[in-house]
Amino acid sequence: MSEMTTSKYIFSGHDSFHCRQLWLKKGFDFVQSGLLFNSEDAVVKLGVGKNMVSAIRYWLKAFNIIDNKDHPTEFGIRLFDTDTGYDPFLEDDASLWLLHYQLVKTGIASIYSIIFNEFRKEKIIFNDGSFLNYLKRIQEINHVLNFNENTVAKDFMVFVNTYKNDEGYNDVEDSYSGILSEIDLLKIIQIEYKDENGKIKKRIEYQIENNDRDKLLAQVLLFSILDNPNYGNSISLNSLEYDYNSPGSIFALNRSGLINKISEIVDKNITFTDHAGIKELQFKNKPNAFSILDKYYGK
């Protein structure tokens, strides 16, 4: 419960709509062409209902695609620009990992930062009830924290729908599937139990376990390290594994997975040393974070 306890928590803003596959590109183009979300024709231009207009605006901010003044961010332009963008239609899994990173790091949608940085480390298998209890415990320490239980319950379901992978769902428009469903971070567990009458029932629980994350690209991991203002030229393996907004926390990486990824990024400027049992990632000349993505996407 470290850094997040000093921040303001936000559990609403999406009107219970999880972010659909095409919303970020659609919203980015809308903003880039100088249109305003509060204009009367926003509904027509975006082709969605009024509540969805505000949800799209919320998700653009949560994913760091636009800033608080509704202007495109550097990340938003580099990813979604039709002519120069890395991957405007999100065809590469690396882009989804980058969006996940931004969602957790930006902290505008508080639940993602709390779950990946704190909650899942304490509660390995969880549900909406255990998450709510966790927030109540934080509230006892941090009286600034105010939340509505119904709002949190809805936010938890939006979180689940963002990552839930409905296998066998093949609609091209993908209007119901969450934007981050394909990176397989959230595991859904069905638990059978007997109620007080001895009747067998099922309940759904969730898990985000640390593993090797074979699908995560080393370049995305390197970008997340270079993008983190708390990291200098020497970073301990412990920091990379456990710190708030570290690769280990955000990507749910175990130590062997983290070391595997690090071994892929080592070059003449980046070394991984072990002195007296202290393992450190060291940069001789620290590259610009986006230069790593420029190279990966061939820009």
Side-chain angles (χ1 to χ4, degrees), residues 144-268:
V144 178
L145 172 58
N146 286 309
F147 57 84
N148 176 290
E149 290 191 17
N150 289 334
T151 304
V152 170
K154 286 176 187 170
D155 200 27
F156 186 87
M157 283 321 298
V158 169
F159 157 78
V160 168
N161 288 332
T162 299
Y163 291 95
K164 185 175 67 175
N165 194 338
D166 284 332
E167 288 175 5
Y169 186 83
N170 297 316
D171 187 347
V172 176
E173 176 70 16
D174 237 352
S175 54
Y176 295 102
S177 115
I179 193 166
L180 301 177
S181 60
E182 288 175 35
I183 57 176
D184 291 333
L185 272 169
L186 188 71
K187 194 173 172 185
I188 297 171
I189 302 165
Q190 274 203 352
I191 294 175
E192 286 192 351
Y193 67 99
K194 286 184 180 177
D195 67 8
E196 56 213 22
N197 301 317
K199 207 172 178 183
I200 292 176
K201 291 194 169 181
K202 288 180 181 176
R203 73 169 184 267
I204 300 290
E205 302 268 352
Y206 305 97
Q207 184 179 12
I208 301 167
E209 59 181 337
N210 281 2
N211 64 34
D212 283 351
R213 298 279 161 231
D214 293 332
K215 289 184 174 182
L216 174 65
L217 277 94
Q219 290 93 331
V220 173
L221 176 111
L222 178 55
F223 173 83
S224 77
I225 295 168
L226 294 169
D227 188 57
N228 190 325
N230 296 321
Y231 289 149
N233 288 335
S234 294
I235 314 148
S236 73
L237 183 62
N238 271 1
S239 284
L240 291 169
E241 189 172 3
Y242 299 116
D243 278 7
Y244 218 88
N245 286 341
S246 67
S249 298
I250 288 185
F251 300 122
L253 270 165
N254 61 19
R255 179 157 285 212
S256 66
L258 186 56
I259 290 171
N260 288 343
K261 305 289 177 208
I262 289 170
S263 69
E264 288 182 52
I265 63 174
V266 165
D267 61 19
K268 63 179 186 292

Side-chain angles (χ1 to χ4, degrees), residues 2-19:
S2 51
E3 295 176 32
M4 201 66 195
T5 52
T6 61
S7 310
K8 187 183 175 189
Y9 291 81
I10 300 168
F11 299 108
S12 60
H14 43 61
D15 283 304
S16 299
F17 296 111
H18 64 273
C19 187

